[in-house]
Amino acid sequence: MQNTDGTGRGGVSALSDTAFIDFRVIIADDHVLVVDMLRSLLEKNFNIVGSASCGASLLRLASELQPELILLDIGMPGLNGLEAGQLLRATGVGAKLAYLSMESDPAIAARAFALGASAYMVKTGPSAELLHALRVVAAGGQYLTPSIHGGDIAALVAAYREDPVARLSQRELEVLKLSVLSSLDSAA
């Protein structure tokens, strides 16, 4: 599946710059300057309702503000963006997740989509691409930066299909290991 815009009306380019002005967005990045620049870029097109500098504060803020879209970095301290996104999904926060990262590794992008991302862009891309991608997501579509697998989400996900065990967090792996060891001890 190539990038999709979900509008059915000639694509997001046919929509005005203010078509999503009421679309509630949280920005999550551990660099204050980046958050400030993203806010400045996006506030003409979206309703920026908050920002977070780490995954833990993002979880609290998203639960409180109920955004429709969260633009988040992967490399945040403590709880990274992928872990935060996974927990947001597990706690029922229904916001669309759009990752903006320094990571151009296709495996990381594939993992983001496997965990429910609506978009994945790299910070080396132009601001026009970010605006376009967020409009695509707000219109109900998905977006992958063309510098990763030519923007083909289905091909990316197929190429990096994961073993379910690989999806487990370090703590989940520890619990699984202890459970297996306990079962073996009980059987002996």
Side-chain angles (χ1 to χ4, degrees):
M1 165 176 47
Q2 294 285 338
N3 292 324
T4 60
D5 72 10
T7 64
R9 296 176 287 171
V12 293
S13 59
L15 298 174
S16 74
D17 286 349
T18 58
F20 301 108
I21 198 68
D22 294 327
F23 208 78
R24 298 168 53 81
V25 177
I26 289 176
I27 300 169
D29 194 293
D30 57 324
H31 297 96
V32 175
L33 180 62
V34 172
V35 170
D36 289 347
M37 289 189 308
L38 288 170
R39 180 184 299 273
S40 179
L41 175 68
L42 300 176
E43 66 190 355
K44 296 174 193 88
N45 297 279
F46 297 94
N47 179 13
I48 309 302
V49 295
S51 62
S53 61
C54 68
S57 63
L58 173 60
L59 293 175
R60 287 189 300 278
L61 198 60
S63 177
E64 176 187 327
L65 298 177
Q66 293 299 306
E68 294 164 282
L69 181 131
I70 299 171
L71 177 60
L72 68 162
D73 187 16
I74 289 182
M76 293 188 291
L79 197 60
N80 73 39
L82 291 174
E83 294 164 337
Q86 193 171 14
L87 288 171
L88 286 165
R89 290 287 175 256
T91 59
V93 173
K96 298 171 187 301
L97 303 177
Y99 289 93
L100 179 62
S101 179
M102 288 298 301
E103 297 293 337
S104 60
D105 182 345
I108 294 173
R111 181 153 170 80
F113 281 105
L115 294 173
S118 293
Y120 192 95
M121 294 90 42
V122 291
K123 289 181 178 176
T124 56
S127 60
E129 179 187 4
L130 174 63
L131 284 169
H132 174 73
L134 295 182
R135 288 181 185 131
V136 166
V137 169
Q142 291 185 298
Y143 185 87
L144 172 63
T145 188
S147 65
I148 299 175
H149 270 264
D152 189 334
I153 297 166
L156 171 75
V157 172
Y160 290 91
R161 208 166 296 293
E162 291 184 279
D163 176 349
V165 174
R167 293 185 189 178
L168 298 176
S169 70
Q170 189 62 36
R171 179 65 183 144
E172 289 168 327
L173 286 170
E174 290 171 17
V175 170
L176 179 61
K177 181 180 175 183
L178 290 172
S179 176
V180 169
L181 291 174
S182 175
S183 295
L184 292 174
D185 288 344
S186 297

